[in-house]
């Protein structure tokens, strides 16, 4: 790990201003992903701004009937909240499907959205990776590479990494909005749909945040009802990243919403695919994964997504 | 209690250090882009902690994890370092009443916090019920993962009783029963390379039943 200095501010706008001002600064909240990456020197901040003193750890009700989740609310607190369990069950199910009990006690809402990919070529600093070392190439697309876990859609010739979050997949299905404060003290609202960026030829740019901008809250719109479920398919029964995960909200009339995890650089959902829900899993996945560009090793994910959704529709 | 261990550089530490140096000659990514920047303040911090009920103060390099602060600075070596990346759970200890991976948290971020380690829950003469149950059920072989297993196990029972759901919980609005399935799912962040899982499950079940 590289040496760094440390501070713990108490004001969100001041924290954002400091992050923009100090070269090589980074925010830390739960730290469960950042510390992991700092030990490998994949991340090497020279200054850490600890945001745990900002008081952004409450879940409050909005005037619109939704919930406003402070960025420091832990995964455990969020998934166990009575209002989330009752009105946004897909979110409880998604968070419970991710990580371990110890990690969920520490990991935060904002940090979960900002976690980095678990692509093995990103993690292995002896391998090329355009996300970690722009311009060095993509190890996952090299001859004989292991790409079974990686993305099938929204990827590029530069990068086929997936976004690893389960929580974000449910939040995408719920039309969540990310609230931020900028270094100049302004607040901004970014729909989750626009928060994560596709890699294109700049896979190192993963989200819409500007330098120093700090996530303060994630807002959930008023409950949409329906039967809500989250199904995660993985190589172990617990504590593993998704091969494919499906967030489903199904209304009594057969309409609803579908978002996929484990297949793309961001939670994957489209209005056109949602509209196919009354026509069944095959129609939804054909639309949602239209134009997919899988590798030989991970083409199974397309069939797996369809079968997972089909199984969920039988139960919903 | 045995006397505190005197720490010195061991061969294993040296080898690990030189392996890391070889790797860093490869692609270091953003680290390279940031190499011009330097820390904007002190690289050490004095932290006040309450550890097992006792007020402690340590001055640490900011890079020191909570795990290393416990083991190397406070000589509380009961908490183990396994993977050092949050994957194995050997470093599990309790912070303000919640189990966490102490390897994935910086000591400087715990000023004012209450830490509980395996040393704080029982002694060989007066063991915690979970420690007794692990002994009675042979919930270990080599014992390296055991402090983390025991810390996690105690939290699992508390978390179920507090109504925190898990991946295998059926009805999210009903009371959660302490079943084998619930315990196994909630213990998935603690790896036992000896494979004592079925005995660990038996130990946890015993404590849950005795304290019901």
């Amino acid at each position: 790990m590289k040496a760094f200095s440390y501070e713990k501010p108490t004001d969100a706008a001041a924290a954002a201003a400091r992050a923009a001002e100090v070269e090589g600064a980074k925010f830390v909240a739960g730290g469960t992903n950042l510390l992991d990456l700092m030990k490998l020197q994949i991340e090497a901040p020279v200054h850490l701004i600890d945001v745990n003193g900002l008081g952004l750890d409450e879940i409050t009700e909005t005037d619109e009937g939704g919930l406003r989740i402070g960025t420091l609310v832990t995964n455990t607190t969020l998934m166990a909240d009575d209002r989330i369990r009752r009105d946004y069950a897909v979110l409880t199910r998604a968070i419970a499907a991710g990580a371990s009990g110890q990690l969920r006690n520490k990991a935060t809402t904002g940090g979960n959205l900002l976690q980095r990919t678990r692509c093995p070529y990103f993690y292995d600093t002896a391998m090329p990776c355009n996300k970690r070392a722009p311009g060095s190439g993509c190890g996952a697309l090299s001859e004989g590479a292991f790409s079974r876990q990686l993305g099938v859609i929204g990827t590029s010739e530069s990068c086929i990494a997936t976004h690893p979050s389960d929580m974000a997949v449910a939040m995408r299905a719920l039309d969540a909005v990310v609230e931020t404060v900028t270094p100049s003290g302004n607040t901004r609202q970014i729909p989750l749909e626009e928060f994560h960026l596709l890699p294109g030829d700049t896979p190192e740019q993963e989200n819409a945040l500007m330098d120093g901008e700090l996530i303060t809250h994630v807002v959930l719109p008023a409950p949409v009802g329906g039967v809500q479920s989250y199904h995660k398919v993985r190589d172990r029964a617990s504590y593993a990243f998704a091969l494919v995960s499906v967030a489903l909200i199904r209304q009594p009339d057969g309409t609803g919403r579908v978002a996929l995890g484990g297949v793309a650089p961001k939670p994957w959902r489209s209005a056109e695919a949602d509209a196919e829900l009354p026509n069944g899993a095959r129609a939804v996945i054909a639309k949602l994964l239209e134009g997919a560009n899988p590798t030989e090793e991970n083409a199974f994910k397309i069939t797996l997504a369809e079968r997972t959704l089909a199984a969920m529709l039988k139960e919903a | 209690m045995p006397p505190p261990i005197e720490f010195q550089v061991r061969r294993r530490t040296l080898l690990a250090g030189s392996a890391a140096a070889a790797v860093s000659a490869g692609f270091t990514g953003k680290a390279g882009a940031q190499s011009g920047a330097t820390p904007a303040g002190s690289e050490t911090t004095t932290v006040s902690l309450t550890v097992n009920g006792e007020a402690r103060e340590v001055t640490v390099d900011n890079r020191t994890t909570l795990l290393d602060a416990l083991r190397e600075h406070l000589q509380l070596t009961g908490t183990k370092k396994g993977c050092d990346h949050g994957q194995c759970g050997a470093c599990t200890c309790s912070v303000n009443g919640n189990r966490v991976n102490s390897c994935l948290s910086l000591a400087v971020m715990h000023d004012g916090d209450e830490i509980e380690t395996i040393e704080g829950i029982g002694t060989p003469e007066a063991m915690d019920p979970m420690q007794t149950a692990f002994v009675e059920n042979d919930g270990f072989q080599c014992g390296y993962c055991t402090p983390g297993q025991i810390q996690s196990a105690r939290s699992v029972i508390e978390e179920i009783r507090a109504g925190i759901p898990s991946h295998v919980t059926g009805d999210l609005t009903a009371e959660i029963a302490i079943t084998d399935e619930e315990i196994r799912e909630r213990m998935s962040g603690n790896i036992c390379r000896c494979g004592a899982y079925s005995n660990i499950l038996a130990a946890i079940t015993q404590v849950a039943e005795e304290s019901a």
Side-chain angles (χ1 to χ4, degrees), chain A:
Chain A
M1 210 186 296
K2 295 282 188 188
F4 57 87
S5 43
Y6 169 86
E7 69 176 302
K8 188 174 179 182
T10 52
D11 177 76
R18 275 292 280 170
E21 171 193 317
V22 180
E23 191 189 350
K26 225 170 167 45
F27 296 121
V28 62
T32 54
N33 186 214
L34 183 60
L35 262 289
D36 179 27
L37 295 168
M38 284 169 68
K39 289 179 183 189
L40 299 166
Q41 292 189 25
I42 294 168
E43 296 273 14
V46 296
H47 186 68
L48 276 190
I49 300 173
D50 180 350
V51 296
N52 287 290
L54 302 182
L56 299 167
D57 56 356
E58 289 187 354
I59 305 173
T60 56
E61 280 150 39
T62 65
D63 294 341
E64 291 75 33
L67 291 175
R68 192 159 179 248
I69 304 158
T71 189
L72 296 171
V73 172
T74 66
N75 286 178
T76 300
T77 301
L78 183 56
M79 76 173 189
D81 186 275
D82 286 339
R83 295 161 294 186
I84 300 288
R85 289 155 83 152
R86 185 187 64 218
D87 297 330
Y88 306 94
V90 65
L91 184 53
T92 290
R93 294 294 184 195
I95 296 172
S100 66
Q102 292 98 310
L103 288 169
R104 290 190 297 264
N105 280 346
K106 201 83 182 70
T108 63
T109 305
N112 188 307
L113 295 177
L114 294 175
Q115 65 179 305
R116 312 293 303 275
T117 184
R118 296 323 195 275
C119 173
Y121 298 93
F122 173 73
Y123 259 78
D124 185 347
T125 52
M127 297 296 292
C129 170
N130 287 321
K131 189 185 278 297
R132 172 169 37 78
S136 63
C138 174
L141 287 173
S142 62
E143 188 71 27
F146 297 100
S147 57
R148 184 168 177 275
Q149 283 280 349
L150 304 175
V152 300
I153 194 162
T155 53
S156 73
E157 286 178 8
S158 294
C159 182
I160 61 168
T162 56
H163 193 268
S165 173
D166 291 294
M167 183 196 84
V169 179
M171 285 184 169
R172 179 71 186 88
L174 292 165
D175 282 333
V177 175
V178 180
E179 283 188 357
T180 70
V181 60
T182 68
S184 53
N186 297 317
T187 56
R188 191 156 82 108
Q189 293 209 325
I190 310 167
L192 190 59
E193 177 182 8
E194 296 163 21
F195 184 80
H196 295 107
L197 307 179
L198 295 182
D201 52 14
T202 54
E204 72 279 13
Q205 291 172 19
E206 296 178 352
N207 58 61
L209 295 177
M210 64 176 78
D211 193 27
E213 190 171 10
L214 173 71
I215 297 176
T216 56
H217 302 88
V218 174
V219 177
L220 299 179
V224 293
V227 176
Q228 303 192 4
S229 53
Y230 188 81
H231 196 99
K232 180 176 181 179
V233 184
R234 45 187 160 174
D235 284 334
R236 292 195 298 261
S238 182
Y239 198 20
F241 289 96
L243 291 167
V244 164
S245 68
V246 181
L248 172 67
I249 301 173
R250 196 185 199 201
Q251 302 297 343
D253 64 1
T255 63
R257 307 172 178 191
V258 177
L260 299 182
V263 297
K266 59 190 278 186
W268 204 250
R269 180 181 166 207
S270 78
E272 296 77 19
D274 283 354
E276 294 290 342
L277 201 51
N279 302 322
R282 179 160 294 183
V284 172
I285 298 301
K287 186 58 82 176
L288 191 50
L289 297 183
E290 196 171 33
N293 187 22
T295 65
E296 203 172 313
E297 269 195 0
N298 68 17
F300 75 94
K301 288 192 175 192
I302 294 167
T303 316
L304 184 59
E306 183 188 315
R307 289 178 181 170
T308 305
L309 179 59
M312 292 169 77
L313 288 173
K314 272 192 177 173
E315 288 173 16

Side-chain angles (χ1 to χ4, degrees), chain B residues 59-136:
Chain B
T59 299
V60 292
D61 185 303
N62 292 340
R63 290 172 285 190
T64 310
T65 60
L66 177 59
L67 172 63
D68 285 341
L70 291 170
R71 289 181 54 85
E72 313 284 329
H73 293 261
L74 299 173
Q75 274 73 52
L76 291 168
T77 53
T79 307
K80 300 302 186 211
K81 182 183 281 193
C83 68
D84 210 24
H85 285 274
Q87 296 172 1
C88 76
C91 68
T92 303
C93 65
S94 164
V95 175
N96 299 332
N98 296 313
R99 57 171 169 155
V100 301
N101 300 109
S102 61
C103 75
L104 285 187
S105 202
L106 293 167
V108 295
M109 296 174 70
H110 290 285
D111 193 51
D113 284 352
E114 292 198 11
I115 318 294
E116 187 186 60
T117 70
I118 191 76
E119 290 92 343
I121 70 163
T123 64
E125 296 75 33
M127 288 194 287
D128 179 81
M130 191 63 78
Q131 293 174 311
T132 305
F134 267 65
V135 172
E136 288 177 1

